[in-house]
Amino acid sequence: MATAHSRTAARYMMAPAVTLLLGWMLVPLIMTLYFSFSDYRPLRGVFEPWVGFENYVRFWNSSSFADSVWTTLILVAAVLIITLTIGVLLALLLNEQIFGQGIVRILVISPFFVMPTVSALVWKNMMMDPNNGVLSHVWRFFGATPHDFLSQSPLLSIILILSWQWLPFATLILLTAIQSLDSEQLEAAEMDGAPALSRFWYLILPHLGRAITIVTLIQTIFLLSIFAEIFVTTGGAFGTRTLSYLVFQRIVESQNIGLGSAGGIFAVIVANIVAIFLMRIVGKNLDA
């Protein structure tokens, strides 16, 4: 049983780590907040420490702001739907006894360990290239004209790339959840004559509720800040500019630190709104 002395000693021992963690989290946020109220353009030698909410108003009234938020939400929602739907199907398949099960599982999970930049380059140059890409050869094999994905369907291309990257993560979490399901329940339902679809809908899917919630929350956190895949493939053109990429353009390309910092605060607000929405919708599954 912990005593008052031991609890005090534990707090003192944890204090350095907690202080370092808080500093690591809060200092960049405070600096971003500070610069968002200033006019800071280093390459032009401009620094005015206080301009009020001018940067926020400019960023909000920007013609690209609403489009970037909408693009971000579409991208996140589409990737979640694809990865969860196919992830459940793959998890059910991998849970069955098949030949070379271990190798198949490794191959299915391996895309998650590919660096985002490398993944985007592979898809851009080897899969979606309109001249020599694998998909172009498939199109020609069936007598169709090759489709230039990154020019004609840019947002769909980004969604496919991200889905390929995050599908292994969803599959792994869902497979672990399926394997924790009591097999006796499924056997009893099968012996009672319940069809496969009913067993999935009434036994397996409710059991996957917590796993689906975890996948949704974690993927959303990372997808809201997607950058490398867009930078490598489309450069934010053709309607693929997300909110995080818009912030990058304002800071790096426009060299306006103040305006970009205001955009960063907007990104934090949007991320928190989405997180609160998700916690209210699906977060109940995390309750014991």
Side-chain angles (χ1 to χ4, degrees):
M1 182 176 179
T3 62
H5 177 73
S6 63
R7 287 195 294 267
T8 302
R11 293 191 186 99
Y12 278 116
M13 287 187 289
M14 293 173 58
V18 173
T19 303
L20 180 63
L21 181 61
L22 287 176
W24 177 64
M25 294 172 59
L26 293 179
V27 170
L29 181 60
I30 293 174
M31 293 296 294
T32 302
L33 188 62
Y34 169 73
F35 284 126
S36 68
F37 291 104
S38 65
D39 183 8
Y40 184 28
R41 289 169 286 171
L43 292 185
R44 299 180 182 180
V46 176
F47 179 69
E48 187 176 347
W50 178 258
V51 293
F53 289 91
E54 179 181 333
N55 290 322
Y56 290 92
V57 173
R58 286 182 58 191
F59 201 92
W60 178 272
N61 292 330
S62 171
S63 59
S64 305
F65 175 68
D67 292 337
S68 65
V69 172
W70 183 243
T71 300
T72 302
L73 296 179
I74 292 176
L75 187 146
V76 172
V79 174
L80 284 176
I81 292 172
I82 293 173
T83 54
L84 287 174
T85 303
I86 302 180
V88 169
L89 297 177
L90 282 177
L92 291 172
L93 177 63
L94 294 176
N95 190 49
E96 301 294 331
Q97 294 295 328
I98 58 176
F99 177 74
Q101 188 179 51
I103 297 177
V104 172
R105 288 181 178 179
I106 292 175
L107 292 176
V108 170
I109 296 172
S110 57
F112 186 65
F113 300 100
V114 180
M115 295 177 60
T117 305
V118 176
S119 173
L121 287 173
V122 168
W123 276 91
K124 177 181 179 180
N125 298 318
M126 297 183 62
M127 298 296 295
M128 296 180 174
D129 185 83
N131 298 317
N132 299 314
V134 173
L135 297 178
S136 296
H137 290 296
V138 173
W139 255 244
R140 293 191 186 97
F141 178 79
F142 289 101
T145 302
H147 185 73
D148 190 351
F149 283 88
L150 292 175
S151 297
Q152 299 175 335
S153 307
L155 186 58
L156 176 61
S157 302
I158 301 295
I159 290 173
L160 291 177
I161 295 173
L162 292 174
S163 299
W164 180 81
Q165 283 183 265
W166 284 96
L167 180 59
F169 172 78
T171 303
L172 182 62
I173 300 298
L174 295 169
L175 176 60
T176 304
I178 289 177
Q179 291 178 336
S180 67
L181 178 62
D182 188 1
S183 59
E184 294 181 357
Q185 297 181 12
L186 293 175
E187 293 174 359
E190 187 175 1
M191 292 179 62
D192 290 338
L197 185 60
S198 297
R199 295 198 300 270
F200 169 77
W201 188 260
Y202 293 105
L203 290 177
I204 298 178
L205 192 58
H207 183 75
L208 292 177
R210 293 172 64 89
I212 291 175
T213 300
I214 293 173
V215 171
T216 301
L217 293 177
I218 294 178
Q219 284 193 182
T220 300
I221 292 171
F222 284 93
L223 290 173
L224 285 172
S225 59
I226 284 298
F227 172 79
E229 293 82 353
I230 299 174
F231 180 79
V232 171
T233 54
T234 64
F238 311 115
T240 61
R241 180 166 48 191
T242 60
L243 184 55
S244 60
Y245 199 89
L246 179 61
V247 173
F248 160 76
Q249 288 183 325
R250 293 295 180 266
I251 293 179
V252 177
E253 296 183 3
S254 301
Q255 288 297 317
N256 194 328
I257 305 299
L259 187 61
S261 298
I265 298 300
F266 275 123
V268 171
I269 294 173
V270 171
N272 279 275
I273 292 174
V274 173
I276 293 173
F277 174 77
L278 288 175
M279 288 302 295
R280 288 184 176 275
I281 298 298
V282 300
K284 296 179 181 179
N285 291 321
L286 294 176
D287 296 333

